[in-house]
Amino acid sequence: MKTMSANARRRWADGLVAILLLLLGTILIYPFLWMVSVGFERTANVNAPFPPRLIPYDFSLFNFELVFENGHLLTAYWNSGVNAFFSVILSVSSALLGGYAFSRGRFKGKKLLFILVLATMMIPFETTLIPMFIMFNEFHLIDTRYPIILPSIINAMGILLCKQFFDQLPEGLRESAKIDGAGEFKIFFHIFLPLAGPITATLAILSFQGSWNSFVWPLVVINSQDLKTVPLLLSQFSQESGTPLMGVTMATAAVSIIPVMVVFLIMQKYIIQSIALSGLKGE
Amino acid sequence: MIRETIGRKKRRTKKAVSGTWVWFIFLLPTLLGIALFTVYPMIESFRLSFTKGAQEQYVGFENYRHVLGSGSFHQALFNTFYIAFFQLLIVIPLGFVIACLINSLRRGRNFFKVLFYIPNITSMVAAATVFLVVLHPHGLLNYALSAFGIPETIWLANPNSARWSVILLASWHALGFGIIINLANLQAISPDYYEAASIDGASRFKQWLYITIPNMLGSLTILIILGWIDGLQRFTEAFMLGGHTGSPARSLYTLVGFIYERGFGGLEYGVASAASYLLLILILAFTFINIKFFRMKI
């Protein structure tokens, strides 16, 4: 048996690659597993659990109980949830409407407007940061939910993805409805929108994740404790009491990522597809 | 025949009547948003960058001169470039190699995609919070390194190791994105190339070198461009590990950190606006250079 068959060799190579990837992947997510483990370690607030271990020596729910005790985290959860809910509605509907117009509409200046929409992706958010703050301040809307929710109406990536989605649907759908005398809105709401389920789901997930994780802009516009979102609360917490209260901090961090984690694990197929698509189309 | 022409004409006139304006209603939310939250602030920011104080007194290029001559801006520029450069140097080749490995598998590709993408979906704030503990003197990193005989380091106490801490955190967070983009492009390479090469007797490594890499230059360029755009805007990682002033010794002070501190700490809107325009110019220039350098068609 000097030479293995090609198939057997391939199987060996696959096995080795899989082991290597598993090793790398474990290193990559190890900090996460450790975060959960430190959260369950009762004494982690007094002593850093050293040497680092995955199974806590003194397992308890103590830190997680502390996290929920003063109610700040629940308030932050509510705030992040409300902001995300309205942001998703705004950004998904404007993307669906806009994407449809760029896909099926025939009007003057279409190309120019499309370039304008795509150009907004190139502009760093920081260039608009200060005037945005001043503007919302003049309307007395600083320290409210509005500055966080309203700007999500711009969703250039969503428009691009929607345009591509509607481009794939057959033109015949529209023609027959037009012959029946249906207007553009009727055609959109009765024929195209019901077919747009998958793209709507993708956009909703991406927009939810973006909203739930957003940090810099909420940091600038929110001051009162009652309106703080989850990332704001976590950053405040970790900078005030970070490593001294290691157990509670890790428990808070773990609780803070549960929604995005759950959504990701359930919908991972959609998410990974849309990420890949957005990168492919940039070419 | 005649009826057909009439029908077509009728349809065309109807289109022209209901035509243009109806589409603008579809686009209204987006256009309104862009006008209010992009175009207006851009113009306003440009105007503010030439003014000073609450009275918004016109001062010409003074803010730009101030920013370009300021030591803390130079420091921010250096830190931002240093962190972005090394982060890309780690993430892009590593993401490419891991994507190739995943792509070579016949089973379990999906599992590995999900596994490697997990860090990317978590918020940077949560990731940084975990890293504060990983980087703790009694944390995971020192413990892992001690296995190789490397002495204990207090990562966030020394400027150089603090910058490398941010590089590590940013790489950890961005790796999954690179892997997904690379994988999608790897799967878009026609299998015919590989078949032809293996008929000619090329080894798998040679196929990788002569088929995979040349076909992947496009997606690697995209990752470099997106990576620089993100890298020049770096803030959250540095802010979480180093606070408002980017401690220690301003080693984690980034360009956006400069804008944030001068704009909202010092209420120097003019200076901050000038800095934000410099950042915009820098990003546009970098994107342009990258496109030119890699001779990419967009």
Side-chain angles (χ1 to χ4, degrees), chain A residues 81-117:
Chain A
V82 171
N83 294 344
F85 178 77
F86 288 108
S87 297
V88 167
I89 289 185
L90 264 186
S91 73
V92 172
S93 23
S94 90
L96 282 167
L97 287 166
Y100 179 74
F102 282 125
S103 166
R104 291 301 149 102
R106 277 184 207 97
F107 51 96
K108 259 195 186 147
K110 177 170 148 183
K111 213 165 190 171
L112 203 71
L113 282 178
F114 193 55
I115 291 172
L116 174 76
V117 170

Short mmCIF file of all heavy atoms in Angstrom, two decimals, chain A residues 81-117:
data_model
loop_
_atom_site.label_atom_id
_atom_site.label_comp_id
_atom_site.label_asym_id
_atom_site.label_seq_id
_atom_site.Cartn_x
_atom_site.Cartn_y
_atom_site.Cartn_z
N GLY A 81 -34.76 48.06 22.16
CA GLY A 81 -35.82 47.37 21.42
C GLY A 81 -36.72 48.36 20.69
O GLY A 81 -37.01 48.18 19.50
N VAL A 82 -37.16 49.42 21.38
CA VAL A 82 -38.03 50.41 20.75
C VAL A 82 -37.30 51.08 19.59
O VAL A 82 -37.83 51.20 18.48
CB VAL A 82 -38.50 51.46 21.78
CG1 VAL A 82 -39.23 52.60 21.10
CG2 VAL A 82 -39.39 50.82 22.83
N ASN A 83 -36.05 51.52 19.84
CA ASN A 83 -35.28 52.17 18.77
C ASN A 83 -35.12 51.25 17.57
O ASN A 83 -35.29 51.67 16.42
CB ASN A 83 -33.88 52.56 19.27
CG ASN A 83 -33.94 53.63 20.33
OD1 ASN A 83 -34.96 54.29 20.50
ND2 ASN A 83 -32.85 53.79 21.06
N ALA A 84 -34.79 49.98 17.85
CA ALA A 84 -34.57 49.04 16.76
C ALA A 84 -35.86 48.82 15.99
O ALA A 84 -35.87 48.81 14.76
CB ALA A 84 -34.04 47.72 17.29
N PHE A 85 -36.98 48.69 16.70
CA PHE A 85 -38.27 48.43 16.05
C PHE A 85 -38.60 49.53 15.04
O PHE A 85 -38.86 49.26 13.87
CB PHE A 85 -39.37 48.33 17.12
CG PHE A 85 -40.75 48.12 16.56
CD1 PHE A 85 -41.12 46.86 16.11
CD2 PHE A 85 -41.65 49.16 16.48
CE1 PHE A 85 -42.39 46.66 15.59
CE2 PHE A 85 -42.92 48.97 15.95
CZ PHE A 85 -43.29 47.71 15.51
N PHE A 86 -38.54 50.79 15.48
CA PHE A 86 -38.89 51.87 14.57
C PHE A 86 -37.83 52.08 13.49
O PHE A 86 -38.15 52.42 12.35
CB PHE A 86 -39.16 53.17 15.36
CG PHE A 86 -40.45 53.10 16.12
CD1 PHE A 86 -40.45 52.98 17.51
CD2 PHE A 86 -41.66 53.13 15.45
CE1 PHE A 86 -41.65 52.90 18.20
CE2 PHE A 86 -42.86 53.06 16.14
CZ PHE A 86 -42.85 52.94 17.52
N SER A 87 -36.57 51.87 13.84
CA SER A 87 -35.51 51.99 12.82
C SER A 87 -35.71 50.97 11.71
O SER A 87 -35.56 51.28 10.53
CB SER A 87 -34.13 51.80 13.43
OG SER A 87 -33.88 52.80 14.36
N VAL A 88 -36.04 49.75 12.11
CA VAL A 88 -36.24 48.69 11.12
C VAL A 88 -37.40 49.06 10.19
O VAL A 88 -37.29 48.98 8.97
CB VAL A 88 -36.49 47.33 11.80
CG1 VAL A 88 -37.01 46.31 10.81
CG2 VAL A 88 -35.22 46.82 12.46
N ILE A 89 -38.51 49.51 10.78
CA ILE A 89 -39.67 49.85 9.95
C ILE A 89 -39.31 50.96 8.95
O ILE A 89 -39.56 50.84 7.75
CB ILE A 89 -40.85 50.29 10.83
CG1 ILE A 89 -41.39 49.06 11.56
CG2 ILE A 89 -41.96 50.95 10.00
CD1 ILE A 89 -42.62 49.31 12.35
N LEU A 90 -38.66 52.02 9.45
CA LEU A 90 -38.31 53.13 8.57
C LEU A 90 -37.35 52.68 7.47
O LEU A 90 -37.56 52.95 6.30
CB LEU A 90 -37.63 54.23 9.38
CG LEU A 90 -38.47 55.38 9.87
CD1 LEU A 90 -37.57 56.43 10.51
CD2 LEU A 90 -39.22 56.00 8.71
N SER A 91 -36.27 52.00 7.87
CA SER A 91 -35.23 51.72 6.89
C SER A 91 -35.69 50.67 5.89
O SER A 91 -35.40 50.78 4.70
CB SER A 91 -33.94 51.30 7.57
OG SER A 91 -34.06 50.02 8.08
N VAL A 92 -36.47 49.68 6.34
CA VAL A 92 -36.91 48.65 5.40
C VAL A 92 -37.94 49.23 4.43
O VAL A 92 -37.87 48.98 3.22
CB VAL A 92 -37.47 47.42 6.14
CG1 VAL A 92 -38.10 46.45 5.18
CG2 VAL A 92 -36.38 46.74 6.93
N SER A 93 -38.89 50.04 4.92
CA SER A 93 -39.88 50.55 3.96
C SER A 93 -39.25 51.51 2.97
O SER A 93 -39.58 51.47 1.79
CB SER A 93 -41.12 51.16 4.64
OG SER A 93 -40.85 51.58 5.92
N SER A 94 -38.34 52.36 3.43
CA SER A 94 -37.76 53.29 2.45
C SER A 94 -36.89 52.54 1.44
O SER A 94 -36.85 52.90 0.26
CB SER A 94 -36.99 54.41 3.14
OG SER A 94 -35.67 54.08 3.33
N ALA A 95 -36.26 51.44 1.87
CA ALA A 95 -35.43 50.66 0.94
C ALA A 95 -36.29 49.92 -0.08
O ALA A 95 -35.96 49.89 -1.27
CB ALA A 95 -34.55 49.68 1.71
N LEU A 96 -37.42 49.36 0.38
CA LEU A 96 -38.28 48.63 -0.55
C LEU A 96 -38.86 49.58 -1.60
O LEU A 96 -38.82 49.30 -2.80
CB LEU A 96 -39.43 47.95 0.21
CG LEU A 96 -39.08 46.66 0.95
CD1 LEU A 96 -40.21 46.28 1.90
CD2 LEU A 96 -38.80 45.53 -0.02
N LEU A 97 -39.38 50.73 -1.13
CA LEU A 97 -39.95 51.70 -2.07
C LEU A 97 -38.89 52.22 -3.04
O LEU A 97 -39.09 52.25 -4.25
CB LEU A 97 -40.55 52.87 -1.29
CG LEU A 97 -41.86 52.60 -0.53
CD1 LEU A 97 -42.15 53.72 0.44
CD2 LEU A 97 -43.01 52.46 -1.51
N GLY A 98 -37.75 52.61 -2.50
CA GLY A 98 -36.68 53.18 -3.33
C GLY A 98 -36.12 52.14 -4.29
O GLY A 98 -35.91 52.43 -5.47
N GLY A 99 -35.88 50.95 -3.79
CA GLY A 99 -35.32 49.90 -4.64
C GLY A 99 -36.26 49.57 -5.79
O GLY A 99 -35.82 49.37 -6.93
N TYR A 100 -37.56 49.57 -5.50
CA TYR A 100 -38.54 49.29 -6.55
C TYR A 100 -38.51 50.39 -7.61
O TYR A 100 -38.52 50.11 -8.81
CB TYR A 100 -39.93 49.15 -5.95
CG TYR A 100 -41.01 48.87 -6.97
CD1 TYR A 100 -41.11 47.62 -7.57
CD2 TYR A 100 -41.91 49.87 -7.34
CE1 TYR A 100 -42.08 47.37 -8.52
CE2 TYR A 100 -42.88 49.61 -8.29
CZ TYR A 100 -42.97 48.37 -8.88
OH TYR A 100 -43.93 48.12 -9.82
N ALA A 101 -38.47 51.64 -7.18
CA ALA A 101 -38.45 52.76 -8.13
C ALA A 101 -37.20 52.68 -9.01
O ALA A 101 -37.29 52.89 -10.22
CB ALA A 101 -38.49 54.08 -7.38
N PHE A 102 -36.06 52.34 -8.42
CA PHE A 102 -34.84 52.28 -9.22
C PHE A 102 -34.83 51.06 -10.13
O PHE A 102 -34.14 51.03 -11.14
CB PHE A 102 -33.60 52.29 -8.34
CG PHE A 102 -33.26 53.65 -7.82
CD1 PHE A 102 -33.12 53.88 -6.46
CD2 PHE A 102 -33.09 54.72 -8.69
CE1 PHE A 102 -32.82 55.13 -5.98
CE2 PHE A 102 -32.78 55.98 -8.21
CZ PHE A 102 -32.66 56.19 -6.85
N SER A 103 -35.59 50.02 -9.75
CA SER A 103 -35.63 48.83 -10.58
C SER A 103 -36.62 48.98 -11.74
O SER A 103 -36.31 48.68 -12.88
CB SER A 103 -35.99 47.62 -9.73
OG SER A 103 -36.34 46.54 -10.55
N ARG A 104 -37.84 49.44 -11.45
CA ARG A 104 -38.89 49.41 -12.45
C ARG A 104 -39.26 50.79 -12.98
O ARG A 104 -39.95 50.90 -13.99
CB ARG A 104 -40.15 48.73 -11.88
CG ARG A 104 -39.95 47.25 -11.65
CD ARG A 104 -39.60 46.58 -12.95
NE ARG A 104 -38.73 45.45 -12.75
CZ ARG A 104 -39.13 44.18 -12.78
NH1 ARG A 104 -40.38 43.91 -13.01
NH2 ARG A 104 -38.27 43.22 -12.59
N GLY A 105 -38.88 51.83 -12.27
CA GLY A 105 -39.30 53.16 -12.68
C GLY A 105 -38.58 53.62 -13.94
O GLY A 105 -37.46 53.22 -14.21
N ARG A 106 -39.29 54.44 -14.74
CA ARG A 106 -38.62 55.09 -15.88
C ARG A 106 -38.84 56.57 -15.72
O ARG A 106 -39.96 57.06 -15.91
CB ARG A 106 -39.18 54.58 -17.20
CG ARG A 106 -38.52 53.27 -17.57
CD ARG A 106 -38.96 52.75 -18.91
NE ARG A 106 -38.81 51.31 -18.87
CZ ARG A 106 -39.80 50.48 -18.61
NH1 ARG A 106 -41.01 50.94 -18.42
NH2 ARG A 106 -39.59 49.18 -18.57
N PHE A 107 -37.83 57.30 -15.33
CA PHE A 107 -38.00 58.73 -15.13
C PHE A 107 -36.68 59.43 -15.34
O PHE A 107 -35.61 58.82 -15.28
CB PHE A 107 -38.56 59.04 -13.74
CG PHE A 107 -37.80 58.38 -12.61
CD1 PHE A 107 -36.81 59.09 -11.93
CD2 PHE A 107 -38.06 57.08 -12.23
CE1 PHE A 107 -36.11 58.50 -10.89
CE2 PHE A 107 -37.36 56.49 -11.19
CZ PHE A 107 -36.38 57.20 -10.53
N LYS A 108 -36.79 60.72 -15.57
CA LYS A 108 -35.59 61.52 -15.82
C LYS A 108 -34.73 61.59 -14.57
O LYS A 108 -35.24 61.71 -13.46
CB LYS A 108 -36.00 62.92 -16.25
CG LYS A 108 -35.91 63.11 -17.75
CD LYS A 108 -35.95 64.59 -18.10
CE LYS A 108 -36.01 64.74 -19.61
NZ LYS A 108 -36.77 65.90 -20.04
N GLY A 109 -33.43 61.52 -14.75
CA GLY A 109 -32.52 61.68 -13.62
C GLY A 109 -32.39 60.44 -12.77
O GLY A 109 -31.83 60.48 -11.68
N LYS A 110 -32.90 59.30 -13.25
CA LYS A 110 -32.84 58.07 -12.45
C LYS A 110 -31.40 57.67 -12.12
O LYS A 110 -31.06 57.38 -10.99
CB LYS A 110 -33.55 56.96 -13.23
CG LYS A 110 -33.50 55.61 -12.57
CD LYS A 110 -34.42 54.64 -13.29
CE LYS A 110 -33.90 53.23 -13.24
NZ LYS A 110 -34.74 52.30 -13.98
N LYS A 111 -30.57 57.71 -13.16
CA LYS A 111 -29.19 57.28 -12.97
C LYS A 111 -28.46 58.19 -11.98
O LYS A 111 -27.75 57.73 -11.09
CB LYS A 111 -28.46 57.29 -14.33
CG LYS A 111 -27.42 56.21 -14.41
CD LYS A 111 -26.96 55.98 -15.83
CE LYS A 111 -26.12 54.72 -15.87
NZ LYS A 111 -25.82 54.35 -17.25
N LEU A 112 -28.70 59.48 -12.16
CA LEU A 112 -28.05 60.47 -11.29
C LEU A 112 -28.47 60.28 -9.83
O LEU A 112 -27.64 60.29 -8.92
CB LEU A 112 -28.43 61.86 -11.79
CG LEU A 112 -27.47 62.98 -11.39
CD1 LEU A 112 -26.18 62.84 -12.17
CD2 LEU A 112 -28.11 64.33 -11.65
N LEU A 113 -29.78 60.08 -9.64
CA LEU A 113 -30.28 59.88 -8.27
C LEU A 113 -29.72 58.60 -7.67
O LEU A 113 -29.38 58.56 -6.48
CB LEU A 113 -31.81 59.82 -8.27
CG LEU A 113 -32.53 61.15 -8.39
CD1 LEU A 113 -34.03 60.94 -8.43
CD2 LEU A 113 -32.16 62.06 -7.23
N PHE A 114 -29.60 57.57 -8.50
CA PHE A 114 -29.06 56.31 -8.00
C PHE A 114 -27.61 56.50 -7.55
O PHE A 114 -27.22 56.01 -6.49
CB PHE A 114 -29.16 55.25 -9.10
CG PHE A 114 -28.91 53.85 -8.60
CD1 PHE A 114 -29.66 53.34 -7.55
CD2 PHE A 114 -27.93 53.06 -9.17
CE1 PHE A 114 -29.44 52.06 -7.07
CE2 PHE A 114 -27.71 51.77 -8.69
CZ PHE A 114 -28.46 51.28 -7.65
N ILE A 115 -26.86 57.24 -8.34
CA ILE A 115 -25.47 57.53 -7.95
C ILE A 115 -25.44 58.32 -6.64
O ILE A 115 -24.64 58.05 -5.75
CB ILE A 115 -24.73 58.27 -9.08
CG1 ILE A 115 -24.53 57.30 -10.25
CG2 ILE A 115 -23.39 58.80 -8.60
CD1 ILE A 115 -24.00 57.95 -11.50
N LEU A 116 -26.37 59.28 -6.53
CA LEU A 116 -26.45 60.08 -5.29
C LEU A 116 -26.69 59.18 -4.08
O LEU A 116 -26.03 59.31 -3.04
CB LEU A 116 -27.59 61.10 -5.41
CG LEU A 116 -27.89 61.92 -4.15
CD1 LEU A 116 -26.83 62.99 -3.96
CD2 LEU A 116 -29.27 62.54 -4.20
N VAL A 117 -27.62 58.22 -4.24
CA VAL A 117 -27.93 57.31 -3.13
C VAL A 117 -26.69 56.49 -2.77
O VAL A 117 -26.31 56.36 -1.61
CB VAL A 117 -29.10 56.39 -3.50
CG1 VAL A 117 -29.27 55.29 -2.47
CG2 VAL A 117 -30.39 57.20 -3.60
#
